[in-house]
Amino acid sequence: GQNIDQPTEMTATEGAIVQINCTYQTSGFNGLFWYQQHAGEAPTFLSYNVLDGLEEKGRFSSFLSRSKGYSYLLLKELQMKDSASYLCAVRDRNAGNMLTFGGGTRLMVKP
Amino acid sequence: GAGVSQSPSNKVTEKGKDVELRCDPISGHTALYWYRQSLGQGLEFLIYFQGNSAPDKSGLPSDRFSAERTGGSVSTLTIQRTQQEDSAVYLCASSLSGDIQYFGAGTRLSVL
């Protein structure tokens, strides 16, 4: 089985930086994905890490450490529209390369 | 179409009735997934289709749930004899052979 843990809720201020952590345990790690989901909408793909290190994409960056079973999503220059849930998902080659999702982190950005 | 399309967007049904939820994946995507998301929760995997292979049904919560994919494209998720605990948003996603998954907007099912 797999365990994926991420905080349930976070609050941050507009213009600031926030880091959302995700830890996982899996037998056949084959990639970690971050999705953004606004209330009542479909999850949308943000980033993908399969090797250790930082992947930067505009205001969003994602980091992975396979040895520690750890990833984080970094959001810079926060905007009100960034208020959403952020879902961490792990792909496991020993589970048919299926994605297992964490419970999501609900981020509230305040003025 | 350009994205994953699901219908209906909302479905209200009475306990004990059967419901069918439809998913039109992105054209050319060989993999199709169904998930369930309860209020404020993460995504729970239900079933996975990959090309012409037998589907992975390991996530289906009971034998009241079934799904099929016709012609390698459109998929239908059927829930028989619905129960109140089936109330959730049912999300469909498609991908190119297990790569990045692209999600539809979901069907919000309410069982009264």
Side-chain angles (χ1 to χ4, degrees), chain B residues 92-108:
Chain B
C92 175
S94 71
S95 72
L96 279 172
S97 300
D99 205 335
I100 297 167
Q101 294 185 24
Y102 296 89
F103 285 82
T107 294
R108 183 175 299 277

Side-chain angles (χ1 to χ4, degrees), chain B residues 11-111:
Chain B
K11 177 71 176 179
V12 180
T13 191
E14 295 179 350
K15 178 182 172 181
K17 300 284 189 181
D18 298 351
V19 295
E20 285 190 352
L21 312 179
R22 177 186 169 104
C23 173
D24 278 281
I26 293 172
S27 179
H29 279 192
T30 57
L32 186 148
Y33 311 78
W34 282 98
Y35 296 89
R36 178 168 70 175
Q37 187 174 34
S38 299
L39 188 63
Q41 302 297 310
L43 274 66
E44 174 191 2
F45 165 73
L46 297 177
I47 188 169
Y48 161 53
F49 296 88
Q50 173 59 59
N52 295 320
S53 303
D56 179 345
K57 304 179 182 180
S58 60
L60 294 178
S62 78
D63 58 8
R64 295 186 296 105
F65 288 71
S66 63
E68 62 177 20
R69 189 178 184 191
T70 55
S73 181
V74 172
S75 177
T76 303
L77 177 69
T78 301
I79 308 174
Q80 295 178 311
R81 304 181 303 281
T82 52
Q83 303 294 313
Q84 288 183 331
E85 60 263 28
D86 299 335
S87 296
V89 176
Y90 289 81
L91 290 162
C92 175
S94 71
S95 72
L96 279 172
S97 300
D99 205 335
I100 297 167
Q101 294 185 24
Y102 296 89
F103 285 82
T107 294
R108 183 175 299 277
L109 176 66
S110 300
V111 182

Side-chain angles (χ1 to χ4, degrees), chain A residues 3 16 18 21 23 32 35 38-39 44 46-47 50 53-54 65 78-79 86 88 93-95 97-98 102 108 110:
Chain A
N3 291 316
V18 70
N21 296 325
T23 58
L32 187 143
Y35 282 82
H38 285 99
T44 55
L46 286 178
S47 69
V50 66
L54 189 68
S65 169
L78 280 172
Q79 302 176 10
Y86 292 85
C88 172
R93 67 170 62 85
N94 292 337
N97 273 325
M98 296 301 303
M108 288 176 282
K110 296 186 174 180

